[in-house]
Amino acid sequence: MGEVIVITSGKGGVGKTTTTANLGTGLAVQGKKVVLIDTDIGLRNLDVVMGLENRIVYDLVDVIEGTCRLKQALIKDKRYEGLHLLPAPQTRDKNAVTPEQMLKLCDELKEEFDYILIDCPAGIEQGFKNAIAGADKAFVITTPEVSAVRDADRIIGLLEAHEIRKPRLIVNRVRADMVKRGDMMSIEDIIDILAIDLIGVVPDDENIIISTNRGEPAVIDGKSMAGQAYRNITNRLMGQDVPIMDLNVSEGLLSKMKKLLGFKTA
Amino acid sequence: MLDTILSFFKKKESSKDVAKERLKLVLIHDRSNVSPQFLEMVKGEIIKVIQNYMEIDEESLDIQLTKTNSEDGERMVPALVANIPIKGMKNAGR
């Protein structure tokens, strides 16, 4: 029986799609059967980040409306065995899907796949409700900015209201130099405010833009810091105890961070 | 004098501390907005306590979460404002 994880943030542009692509690829590289669902109807992007934009025939709404079979709409990634994408339609409305239909689809996919990762649209309306409907777990993405943390807090409240307990946090685009000189909130500051468990920290890394340019997730790039961070998150997701990456933050802070996390239970 | 010292320290405050402070305040407001039942719960509890000592007009009782000036008057802070009309004192209060 697979696990459905929604990747959400509230605010747009904090890295939901990039994270979905990287975690999905990371899991597939480790031999898992994975399907990525883009639920951003009308503004799909997971296809281009994955480099699969030329292979779309059917989409999420085609499956839900019965225009095609589920198997026909799943795009098999030829580079990574076991990785599949269910793209969003580009020309439909968010209301073309209901939360009940999403739940049914997720339950169906769970039968065959180890992990179903759902790329959630920005916002808290219909698209968000659809994306979380079938989720067992949630990863909340934020960046160390006031606006992103505020929206993450709102999302955490809404997830709990929808009975998705214990969402876990990914802090994206951390700049160690700025944290060091006191011009960026640290991981510790953000955890203190949001009061949820951390699953990973991703450094700000230009390799993400380069790999997105090519349509090849950074997680497979051995030289990318962000790629390493995503590999770590993948391993934690699979239950391994991996320490949080050293982003050249002061010793004291790092050890405090580790203490806060308590990955033994992860 | 005290103000000068305070403002001296304030200038040295790092931008991340400013960010954290602002976030904490805005979240107090956001979080209370998430559940409208929250204020009703607070209201119910306050009525219970005050009724031990005074007769109050429950109908026109009004409780709101608003903003007010902080003591140094330089920023806005969240405040719980309660307007509770008293009809009379109970014996226990004398």
Side-chain angles (χ1 to χ4, degrees):
Chain A
M1 194 70 168
E3 195 170 49
V4 183
I5 303 169
V6 61
I7 289 135
T8 181
S9 68
K11 188 175 179 296
V14 297
K16 288 179 295 296
T17 303
T18 308
T19 300
T20 308
N22 278 285
L23 296 187
T25 308
L27 287 165
V29 168
Q30 302 249 21
K32 299 291 177 190
K33 281 197 83 181
V34 184
V35 56
L36 311 178
I37 309 179
D38 189 347
T39 58
D40 203 347
I41 298 172
L43 286 170
R44 73 172 170 219
N45 268 325
L46 188 54
D47 54 335
V48 284
V49 175
M50 292 295 297
L52 296 171
E53 67 273 21
N54 294 325
R55 299 193 38 214
I56 297 176
V57 181
Y58 296 110
D59 58 50
L60 174 65
V61 173
D62 290 325
V63 173
I64 276 169
E65 290 180 345
T67 314
C68 69
R69 280 176 292 115
L70 178 54
K71 282 269 162 64
Q72 291 176 291
L74 292 178
I75 302 166
K76 256 190 185 171
D77 194 316
K78 289 169 183 161
R79 300 160 297 181
Y80 318 104
E81 176 81 33
L83 185 58
H84 303 76
L85 170 70
L86 180 54
Q90 189 69 320
T91 54
R92 297 293 294 266
D93 187 86
K94 297 213 155 150
N95 301 318
V97 181
T98 67
E100 293 73 27
Q101 290 168 326
M102 274 302 292
L103 177 63
K104 192 168 158 271
L105 175 68
C106 289
D107 284 345
E108 205 176 320
L109 287 165
K110 269 199 233 182
E111 301 287 324
E112 202 184 325
F113 293 91
D114 299 315
Y115 291 97
I116 296 104
L117 303 186
I118 300 177
D119 183 17
C120 181
I124 52 172
E125 295 87 22
Q126 183 71 22
F128 169 75
K129 287 174 188 151
N130 286 339
I132 66 166
D136 303 309
K137 284 184 180 176
F139 288 173
V140 176
I141 319 264
T142 191
T143 60
E145 289 163 84
V146 176
S147 52
V149 177
R150 181 198 200 176
D151 288 2
D153 186 79
R154 189 81 205 280
I155 287 295
I156 293 164
L158 290 171
L159 286 169
E160 275 162 8
H162 285 86
E163 313 215 313
I164 300 177
R165 307 268 175 233
K166 294 208 159 226
R168 299 182 75 184
L169 184 69
I170 296 176
V171 185
N172 195 14
R173 284 197 212 121
V174 177
R175 282 187 53 183
D177 56 330
M178 288 189 75
V179 173
K180 210 167 187 176
R181 65 170 192 256
D183 277 332
M184 182 176 271
M185 282 185 284
S186 66
I187 308 307
E188 207 187 14
D189 292 329
I190 296 168
I191 292 173
D192 183 31
I193 286 168
L194 294 178
I196 65 170
D197 285 342
L198 186 68
I199 190 163
V201 176
V202 183
D204 192 28
D205 181 356
E206 60 178 43
N207 285 310
I208 288 289
I209 295 172
I210 296 169
S211 63
T212 308
N213 286 345
R214 300 184 197 281
E216 296 163 354
V219 71
I220 54 154
D221 178 355
K223 279 172 277 178
S224 159
M225 279 268 273
Q228 180 63 51
Y230 281 124
R231 284 195 292 280
N232 290 350
I233 298 172
T234 306
N235 289 331
R236 286 182 204 118
L237 178 54
M238 288 167 43
Q240 290 175 34
D241 186 1
V242 186
I244 289 287
M245 196 191 244
D246 185 355
L247 302 177
N248 300 322
V249 190
S250 69
E251 286 284 334
L253 181 64
L254 195 71
S255 55
K256 273 187 204 160
M257 265 158 54
K258 280 181 190 161
K259 219 169 75 185
L260 265 166
L261 301 178
F263 270 114
K264 278 159 273 161
T265 53
Chain B
M1 181 62 184
L2 189 67
D3 276 359
T4 346
I5 296 168
L6 281 175
S7 68
F8 177 73
F9 279 113
K10 214 164 226 169
K11 274 198 186 106
K12 285 194 79 179
E13 196 177 17
S14 66
S15 73
K16 78 120 183 185
D17 288 330
V18 178
K20 210 179 163 186
E21 182 81 358
R22 289 177 56 220
L23 248 175
K24 278 186 176 167
L25 290 173
V26 82
L27 288 184
I28 290 171
H29 206 260
D30 284 2
R31 283 172 184 169
S32 68
N33 280 349
V34 171
S35 71
Q37 301 95 336
F38 173 78
L39 274 185
E40 280 306 308
M41 278 164 57
V42 175
K43 200 165 152 180
E45 295 284 318
I46 290 177
I47 291 173
K48 246 193 265 170
V49 174
I50 294 185
Q51 270 177 342
N52 290 336
Y53 304 97
M54 327 168 177
E55 283 175 50
I56 57 173
D57 182 2
E58 278 185 51
E59 294 287 298
S60 39
L61 182 143
D62 179 38
I63 291 180
Q64 283 179 353
L65 198 69
T66 65
K67 284 179 189 156
T68 185
N69 276 317
S70 63
E71 274 181 41
D72 59 20
E74 283 182 38
R75 61 210 154 92
M76 297 301 282
V77 290
L80 189 71
V81 177
N83 189 353
I84 309 168
I86 301 167
K87 285 180 180 167
M89 302 301 285
K90 286 192 177 173
N91 283 336
R94 279 176 195 153

